[in-house]
Amino acid sequence: MRRSSRWAELRRALRDDAGSASLEFLTVGVLLFVPLVYLSLSLGQIQHAVLGIEGAARHAARVIAAADGHDEGLAAADRAIRVALADAGLEPAAAEVAISCAPAAGDCQTPRGTVSVQVDATVPLPLAPPVLALDVGMGVPVSALASQPVSAFGGAP
């Protein structure tokens, strides 16, 4: 009978759940906490880049509309875009910029015209390795479009 009592004690010990709830809580908590932290980091980085890209488009449209000449406006817009993207932590070479003027007279200083600037870029995700051994990591495409009217009295206010 001695042998059966040992097996009974062992079965009772294995069935006893005392203390396992805290271990389960810690395991599930860590498994849920890591993705939540990564999601927070990713959304923060994407929002930071979106604000930078929106600022780049807005400032570029403003400086083109307020410039004294077309070439001066484009040079000032290039500087504004580079500064805004650098502040957002993005490479200026990675952004695509499209500038359009209405009416399409080839010159963005047409009185009562409109200057539109669109900036497109891809925001890299934090800690994301390059995909398929390429040099490009995973990212989220973002874009911004800004329009600015040109003064009725010319480009300069």
Side-chain angles (χ1 to χ4, degrees):
M1 201 136 152
R2 187 173 179 171
R3 181 177 283 199
S4 66
S5 67
R6 270 195 255 162
W7 284 111
E9 286 178 29
L10 182 61
R11 274 189 239 149
R12 252 185 276 131
L14 290 175
R15 279 190 232 141
D16 188 19
D17 286 6
S20 66
S22 62
L23 180 63
E24 292 168 2
F25 178 74
L26 286 173
T27 304
V28 172
V30 168
L31 290 176
L32 293 177
F33 184 68
V34 170
L36 184 65
V37 168
Y38 183 76
L39 180 67
S40 298
L41 287 173
S42 299
L43 290 178
Q45 185 167 346
I46 292 168
Q47 183 64 29
H48 180 66
V50 165
L51 291 175
I53 289 171
E54 286 178 352
R58 185 176 60 247
H59 291 301
R62 284 182 183 172
V63 297
I64 291 173
D68 290 330
H70 183 71
D71 293 333
E72 293 86 7
L74 293 179
D78 183 53
R79 287 191 303 271
I81 290 170
R82 287 182 183 277
V83 168
L85 291 179
D87 286 346
L90 297 171
E91 292 292 325
E96 295 178 19
V97 179
I99 299 171
S100 62
C101 305
D107 188 6
C108 290
Q109 267 58 49
T110 304
R112 293 193 176 126
T114 303
V115 177
S116 297
V117 177
Q118 181 168 355
V119 180
D120 300 319
T122 300
V123 180
L125 293 175
L127 306 174
V131 180
L132 300 174
L134 299 173
D135 290 336
V136 179
M138 294 174 34
V140 176
V142 294
S143 66
L145 175 66
S147 298
Q148 181 72 29
V150 179
S151 172
F153 303 107

